[in-house]
């Protein structure tokens, strides 16, 4: 909210009205490169799942094929 207020001080509100706060942040700050190994190493599993569970292995195999934009969308 604070960031939006600051942006509206320098940019016409009609130009940014098409973005929600998260999208506007990405437009202004750019996107970060997702570190897949860091993501995996800091993932906590629950409900009987673990790093070697077949479903989890399928998940990471799919995420490895994603480009950075797809990974960012998944994390949203």
């Amino acid at each position: 909210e604070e960031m939006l207020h600051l942006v509206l001080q320098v940019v016409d509100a009609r130009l940014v009205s098409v973005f929600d706060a998260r999208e506007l942040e990405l437009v202004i700050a750019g996107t970060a490169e997702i570190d897949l190994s860091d993501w995996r190493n800091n993932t906590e599993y629950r409900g009987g799942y673990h790093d070697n569970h077949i479903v989890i292995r399928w998940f990471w195999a799919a995420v490895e094929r994603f480009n950075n934009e797809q990974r960012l969308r998944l994390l949203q």
Side-chain angles (χ1 to χ4, degrees), residues 16-68:
V16 296
S17 64
V18 297
F19 301 107
D20 65 25
R22 184 130 174 97
E23 291 168 332
L24 184 59
E25 180 181 1
L26 289 174
V27 167
I28 293 170
T31 59
E33 187 68 29
I34 300 299
D35 182 340
L36 192 55
S37 66
D38 182 60
W39 184 5
R40 284 187 80 158
N41 290 335
N42 290 288
T43 298
E44 295 179 17
Y45 302 102
R46 297 183 181 142
Y49 292 101
H50 50 83
D51 192 45
N52 202 32
H53 191 284
I54 187 67
V55 172
I56 301 302
R57 292 194 337 238
W58 289 339
F59 172 80
W60 289 118
V63 173
E64 286 173 1
R65 291 190 300 271
F66 288 1
N67 63 36
N68 196 61

Side-chain angles (χ1 to χ4, degrees), residues 1-13 16 24 28:
E1 301 257 343
E2 179 65 23
M3 184 179 76
L4 181 58
H5 175 70
L6 294 173
V7 169
L8 292 177
Q9 290 180 1
V10 294
V11 178
D12 187 325
V16 296
L24 184 59
I28 293 170

